[in-house]
PDB file of all heavy atoms in Angstrom:
ATOM      1  N   THR B 148     -14.755 218.484  62.113  1.00 71.00           N
ATOM      2  CA  THR B 148     -13.867 217.658  61.306  1.00 71.00           C
ATOM      3  C   THR B 148     -12.531 217.363  61.951  1.00 71.00           C
ATOM      4  O   THR B 148     -11.659 216.812  61.314  1.00 71.00           O
ATOM      5  CB  THR B 148     -13.607 218.337  59.954  1.00 71.00           C
ATOM      6  OG1 THR B 148     -13.039 219.622  60.196  1.00 71.00           O
ATOM      7  CG2 THR B 148     -14.882 218.464  59.153  1.00 71.00           C
ATOM      8  N   GLY B 149     -12.350 217.704  63.201  1.00 64.00           N
ATOM      9  CA  GLY B 149     -11.058 217.480  63.845  1.00 64.00           C
ATOM     10  C   GLY B 149     -10.868 216.042  64.280  1.00 64.00           C
ATOM     11  O   GLY B 149     -10.730 215.126  63.480  1.00 64.00           O
ATOM     12  N   ASN B 150     -10.917 215.812  65.561  1.00 59.00           N
ATOM     13  CA  ASN B 150     -10.740 214.496  66.163  1.00 59.00           C
ATOM     14  C   ASN B 150     -11.859 213.575  65.687  1.00 59.00           C
ATOM     15  O   ASN B 150     -13.016 213.859  65.905  1.00 59.00           O
ATOM     16  CB  ASN B 150     -10.777 214.685  67.686  1.00 59.00           C
ATOM     17  CG  ASN B 150     -10.562 213.405  68.436  1.00 59.00           C
ATOM     18  OD1 ASN B 150     -10.522 212.327  67.866  1.00 59.00           O
ATOM     19  ND2 ASN B 150     -10.412 213.533  69.732  1.00 59.00           N
ATOM     20  N   LEU B 151     -11.527 212.486  65.055  1.00 60.00           N
ATOM     21  CA  LEU B 151     -12.540 211.586  64.518  1.00 60.00           C
ATOM     22  C   LEU B 151     -12.810 210.400  65.438  1.00 60.00           C
ATOM     23  O   LEU B 151     -13.245 209.350  65.008  1.00 60.00           O
ATOM     24  CB  LEU B 151     -12.130 211.113  63.123  1.00 60.00           C
ATOM     25  CG  LEU B 151     -11.984 212.242  62.111  1.00 60.00           C
ATOM     26  CD1 LEU B 151     -11.576 211.693  60.761  1.00 60.00           C
ATOM     27  CD2 LEU B 151     -13.250 213.051  61.993  1.00 60.00           C
ATOM     28  N   SER B 152     -12.552 210.570  66.717  1.00 63.00           N
ATOM     29  CA  SER B 152     -12.855 209.545  67.703  1.00 63.00           C
ATOM     30  C   SER B 152     -14.358 209.453  67.900  1.00 63.00           C
ATOM     31  O   SER B 152     -15.046 210.464  67.897  1.00 63.00           O
ATOM     32  CB  SER B 152     -12.199 209.921  69.036  1.00 63.00           C
ATOM     33  OG  SER B 152     -12.803 209.245  70.099  1.00 63.00           O
ATOM     34  N   PRO B 153     -14.892 208.233  68.098  1.00 60.00           N
ATOM     35  CA  PRO B 153     -16.316 208.123  68.380  1.00 60.00           C
ATOM     36  C   PRO B 153     -16.650 208.405  69.841  1.00 60.00           C
ATOM     37  O   PRO B 153     -17.795 208.355  70.228  1.00 60.00           O
ATOM     38  CB  PRO B 153     -16.616 206.670  68.032  1.00 60.00           C
ATOM     39  CG  PRO B 153     -15.357 205.961  68.372  1.00 60.00           C
ATOM     40  CD  PRO B 153     -14.252 206.924  67.986  1.00 60.00           C
ATOM     41  N   PHE B 154     -15.640 208.657  70.674  1.00 66.00           N
ATOM     42  CA  PHE B 154     -15.886 208.799  72.093  1.00 66.00           C
ATOM     43  C   PHE B 154     -16.331 210.208  72.422  1.00 66.00           C
ATOM     44  O   PHE B 154     -16.054 211.143  71.713  1.00 66.00           O
ATOM     45  CB  PHE B 154     -14.650 208.380  72.880  1.00 66.00           C
ATOM     46  CG  PHE B 154     -14.273 206.961  72.595  1.00 66.00           C
ATOM     47  CD1 PHE B 154     -13.179 206.666  71.813  1.00 66.00           C
ATOM     48  CD2 PHE B 154     -15.061 205.924  73.042  1.00 66.00           C
ATOM     49  CE1 PHE B 154     -12.856 205.363  71.520  1.00 66.00           C
ATOM     50  CE2 PHE B 154     -14.752 204.614  72.753  1.00 66.00           C
ATOM     51  CZ  PHE B 154     -13.640 204.338  71.981  1.00 66.00           C
ATOM     52  N   GLY B 155     -16.980 210.330  73.608  1.00 69.00           N
ATOM     53  CA  GLY B 155     -17.683 211.564  73.849  1.00 69.00           C
ATOM     54  C   GLY B 155     -18.957 211.444  73.062  1.00 69.00           C
ATOM     55  O   GLY B 155     -19.398 210.351  72.767  1.00 69.00           O
ATOM     56  N   PRO B 156     -19.539 212.437  72.663  1.00 85.00           N
ATOM     57  CA  PRO B 156     -19.320 213.828  73.014  1.00 85.00           C
ATOM     58  C   PRO B 156     -19.993 214.177  74.331  1.00 85.00           C
ATOM     59  O   PRO B 156     -20.825 213.431  74.820  1.00 85.00           O
ATOM     60  CB  PRO B 156     -19.973 214.559  71.846  1.00 85.00           C
ATOM     61  CG  PRO B 156     -21.074 213.650  71.428  1.00 85.00           C
ATOM     62  CD  PRO B 156     -20.582 212.268  71.683  1.00 85.00           C
ATOM     63  N   VAL B 157     -19.638 215.327  74.864  1.00 89.00           N
ATOM     64  CA  VAL B 157     -20.238 215.824  76.094  1.00 89.00           C
ATOM     65  C   VAL B 157     -20.600 217.283  75.862  1.00 89.00           C
ATOM     66  O   VAL B 157     -19.855 218.018  75.216  1.00 89.00           O
ATOM     67  CB  VAL B 157     -19.253 215.703  77.277  1.00 89.00           C
ATOM     68  CG1 VAL B 157     -19.834 216.294  78.537  1.00 89.00           C
ATOM     69  CG2 VAL B 157     -18.849 214.254  77.496  1.00 89.00           C
ATOM     70  N   LEU B 158     -21.754 217.690  76.370  1.00 94.00           N
ATOM     71  CA  LEU B 158     -22.188 219.077  76.258  1.00 94.00           C
ATOM     72  C   LEU B 158     -22.186 219.739  77.628  1.00 94.00           C
ATOM     73  O   LEU B 158     -22.557 219.123  78.624  1.00 94.00           O
ATOM     74  CB  LEU B 158     -23.608 219.154  75.683  1.00 94.00           C
ATOM     75  CG  LEU B 158     -23.785 218.680  74.253  1.00 94.00           C
ATOM     76  CD1 LEU B 158     -25.273 218.630  73.900  1.00 94.00           C
ATOM     77  CD2 LEU B 158     -23.039 219.583  73.287  1.00 94.00           C
ATOM     78  N   GLY B 159     -21.777 220.998  77.689  1.00 95.00           N
ATOM     79  CA  GLY B 159     -21.819 221.775  78.917  1.00 95.00           C
ATOM     80  C   GLY B 159     -21.488 223.221  78.613  1.00 95.00           C
ATOM     81  O   GLY B 159     -20.817 223.522  77.622  1.00 95.00           O
TER      82      GLY B 159
END
Side-chain angles (χ1 to χ4, degrees):
T148 58
N150 182 352
L151 299 180
S152 160
F154 301 106
V157 176
L158 294 172

